[in-house]
Amino acid sequence: MRKKRMVLSGKKKVAAAVEYYGGSWADMNPEILVFILETIPIDEIIKTVSLVCKAWNKVVSSEYFWCNIHVDVADWSRLFRKLDDVSVDISVTKLMRWSKNKFRRLTCYGSGNSGFISIAIRGRYLTVLQMPLSSICDEIVLNHIKSLPNLKELDISQCSNITAKGLEAFGSHCKSLVCLKRNMDLKEHYNNICIDPLDDSEANVIADTMMYLQSLELGYGTFGNDGLFEILTKCKSLKHLVINGCFHVTFEGGII
């Protein structure tokens, strides 16, 4: 029943737009259809929307649709996350195929290594990649990051299998990066806060390979004053910086 209601709701929106602009389904501007259909959850687009009518199928199957839509599978992948990251990766791979390799923005939670490989293989035009809580590791990033040269925004928050090596790979091959989100979890052990040892390696890699960043989020990072100093010194375009929960940053004696 839920799918039926969502499709009918979409039909009513399109019908109203057709009546407003005048004309028929076949004559309706594809840009208007994209504007309407992009409000429907992505799983509904794949499973049901393409079957509603020829006009919808033509728009959803077109490169134009996937070039302009923000492919957001956050809710969908959270649902699959209740099972395992394999299910998420299968769903992401299906999306990649549907998009005809033309998508620009992708948001996905809890994916794994095979999901990242699918994204890299088909993501030449990708500019925004948000995949927090993913289990991807350094080796997979190192082997496939060359396929994502146009990334401008990257969110790898709470990706604990990525270390400074993986960050260095992103920085070395994604020269257009202007936004990085690398927020980590506040760890607790028997109801007490567990603070990781001081480690400036990630901060140093960011400073050395991502000099053109304008926005940077490093919540609960393990770096200290020295790592922060490197970032502030080398990332001269930085306008937005988040370092909440970075317990090793004391500001004693000043930073710059």
Side-chain angles (χ1 to χ4, degrees):
M1 290 298 294
R2 176 175 175 270
K3 291 180 181 179
K4 185 176 181 181
R5 285 198 303 271
M6 295 188 74
V7 172
L8 287 176
S9 175
K11 276 187 174 181
K12 290 179 180 178
K13 290 180 180 179
V14 175
V18 171
E19 181 179 358
Y20 178 81
Y21 285 96
S24 64
W25 291 86
D27 296 332
M28 191 173 185
N29 191 321
E31 294 183 10
I32 299 172
L33 271 174
V34 170
F35 178 76
I36 297 168
L37 295 180
E38 68 183 4
T39 63
I40 299 175
I42 201 70
D43 58 329
E44 296 296 332
I45 290 175
I46 291 177
K47 294 177 182 178
T48 59
V49 167
S50 61
L51 304 177
V52 171
C53 66
K54 291 182 179 179
W56 283 27
N57 180 271
K58 185 176 180 180
V59 169
V60 171
S61 300
S62 68
E63 294 182 0
Y64 176 83
F65 181 83
W66 295 100
C67 273
N68 291 275
I69 194 172
H70 175 191
V71 183
D72 189 340
V73 292
D75 292 334
W76 193 16
S77 56
R78 285 193 190 101
L79 175 63
F80 280 115
R81 184 62 176 173
K82 295 178 181 178
L83 302 174
D84 52 57
D85 56 6
V86 174
S87 298
V88 177
D89 289 348
I90 291 173
S91 303
V92 169
T93 300
K94 289 180 179 178
L95 276 174
M96 302 303 103
R97 292 171 181 167
W98 262 85
S99 72
K100 301 179 186 292
N101 306 342
K102 295 293 185 179
F103 61 96
R104 305 290 177 87
R105 298 166 59 90
L106 176 65
T107 301
C108 182
Y109 286 73
S111 61
N113 287 325
S114 62
F116 183 80
I117 293 173
S118 295
I119 293 169
I121 291 174
R122 299 173 174 86
R124 187 177 68 175
Y125 296 100
L126 193 66
T127 59
V128 179
L129 175 59
Q130 299 173 319
M131 49 189 316
L133 295 168
S134 297
S135 59
I136 56 176
C137 63
D138 289 340
E139 182 180 2
I140 296 299
V141 174
L142 288 167
N143 291 337
H144 298 279
I145 190 57
K146 291 181 181 180
S147 301
L148 298 172
N150 297 311
L151 278 184
K152 294 182 179 180
E153 299 181 25
L154 175 66
D155 186 350
I156 48 173
S157 297
Q158 300 181 52
C159 295
S160 56
N161 292 333
I162 294 179
T163 69
K165 290 182 179 180
L167 276 174
E168 185 175 12
F170 278 115
S172 298
H173 296 285
C174 304
K175 295 298 185 181
S176 298
L177 269 182
V178 294
C179 176
L180 173 67
K181 296 181 180 180
R182 175 64 172 165
N183 300 302
M184 304 303 287
D185 269 335
L186 174 62
K187 297 180 180 179
E188 295 188 10
H189 184 67
Y190 296 114
N191 296 323
N192 293 318
I193 295 177
C194 180
I195 302 176
D196 288 327
L198 172 65
D199 184 358
D200 285 323
S201 59
E202 289 195 5
N204 290 336
V205 163
I206 291 172
D208 290 336
T209 64
M210 306 179 188
M211 292 83 73
Y212 302 107
L213 284 177
Q214 298 177 18
S215 178
L216 176 61
E217 296 185 14
L218 296 172
Y220 298 100
T222 59
F223 59 91
N225 290 352
D226 291 342
L228 180 59
F229 176 79
E230 288 294 306
I231 291 174
L232 294 177
T233 302
K234 297 180 180 179
C235 300
K236 298 184 181 300
S237 299
L238 202 59
K239 300 176 182 178
H240 175 76
L241 176 64
V242 175
I243 56 171
N244 58 293
C246 298
F247 297 105
H248 295 294
V249 176
T250 62
F251 296 105
E252 293 180 359
I255 300 296
I256 55 177

